[in-house]
Amino acid sequence: QVFVKKCWLWTMILISIVTLLRVIWDKLPARKVYLIVLRLMFGTLFWYTITTIIDGITDNVGRCSLPEYHTRKLCVTEGGSWKYVVDISGHMFMMVFCNLFITKSLDEIYQQQDNDTLELPHVIAHAFCRILVLIFDFMMIFTILYWHSPPEKIVGTLLGVLGYTLIFKQLSSLLSSNWV
């Protein structure tokens, strides 16, 4: 669970390394670097907003086994157990969002690049990104099988897809038509 909670950090680190390698070795155009940095910034904002909302819902929509406590923090601190009424799958949100973000970023960073001409550092960084995607896929399978109800998993998944759509479709079209 700790790995999943940090998956946006792993995503940002690896995409930043891949971008930096492309800038150093291949002189990635400034426009593309600018777009990648903006996407990472908006991705971080989206991640923070959604996880804050999910935590707020989780902390406040439920019942304590001790009737005198009405928030999760107080309930657990006083030895009670918190019974969730709504528990949106933050893990599904994070893993879907990060997988889509990594996959689309790599596609765009290596667009029109012949894979046979990549230097070893590129290959290693690209491989680490793909391994991370596989780890997230594996963790999604366990989340699907063992945690949350189907609606909670669907909502988490849809939030991840929403983030991808806003950042890679809407933001990109806005920037390409007006700014960059």
Side-chain angles (χ1 to χ4, degrees):
Q1 284 191 352
V2 172
F3 189 79
V4 173
K5 292 185 185 301
K6 305 267 188 242
C7 67
W8 181 246
L9 174 67
W10 304 123
T11 299
M12 282 184 38
I13 289 170
L14 286 175
I15 294 301
S16 298
I17 289 170
V18 168
T19 303
L20 186 61
L21 287 172
R22 283 298 309 265
V23 168
I24 292 169
W25 263 278
D26 303 322
K27 307 296 185 230
L28 193 65
R31 180 186 189 288
K32 216 170 222 189
V33 174
Y34 174 70
L35 189 57
I36 292 165
V37 170
L38 276 176
R39 284 181 178 151
L40 285 170
M41 289 171 42
F42 279 98
T44 301
L45 178 65
F46 186 78
W47 161 79
Y48 181 79
T49 302
I50 296 301
T51 54
T52 301
I53 290 169
I54 289 173
D55 285 345
I57 291 170
T58 301
D59 286 344
N60 295 302
V61 180
R63 283 181 293 242
C64 183
S65 59
L66 306 171
E68 61 270 16
Y69 301 107
H70 301 288
T71 64
R72 183 174 70 156
K73 186 176 180 180
L74 278 173
C75 177
V76 173
T77 303
E78 296 300 321
S81 62
W82 190 254
K83 308 290 184 210
Y84 298 103
V85 174
V86 176
D87 187 18
I88 296 169
S89 180
H91 288 170
M92 289 302 292
F93 157 66
M94 285 306 308
M95 290 179 285
V96 167
F97 180 58
C98 289
N99 271 357
L100 290 171
F101 198 98
I102 291 168
T103 303
K104 186 63 175 177
S105 293
L106 289 178
D107 288 348
E108 291 190 2
I109 291 169
Y110 289 107
Q111 189 176 34
Q112 300 169 345
Q113 176 76 34
D114 184 8
N115 287 337
D116 295 336
T117 64
L118 290 176
E119 300 286 333
L120 184 60
H122 287 291
V123 174
I124 292 170
H126 193 269
F128 272 111
C129 288
R130 294 299 180 188
I131 289 168
L132 189 62
V133 167
L134 287 174
I135 291 169
F136 291 157
D137 286 343
F138 184 72
M139 295 167 98
M140 269 192 284
I141 290 169
F142 277 93
T143 300
I144 289 166
L145 292 175
Y146 297 109
W147 290 286
H148 300 286
S149 68
E152 294 166 344
K153 291 180 267 201
I154 290 169
V155 171
T157 300
L158 290 175
L159 288 171
V161 172
L162 174 67
Y164 163 78
T165 303
L166 290 174
I167 292 168
F168 281 92
K169 303 296 182 192
Q170 300 303 316
L171 178 66
S172 295
S173 68
L174 173 70
L175 293 176
S176 65
S177 65
N178 295 328
W179 289 24
V180 184

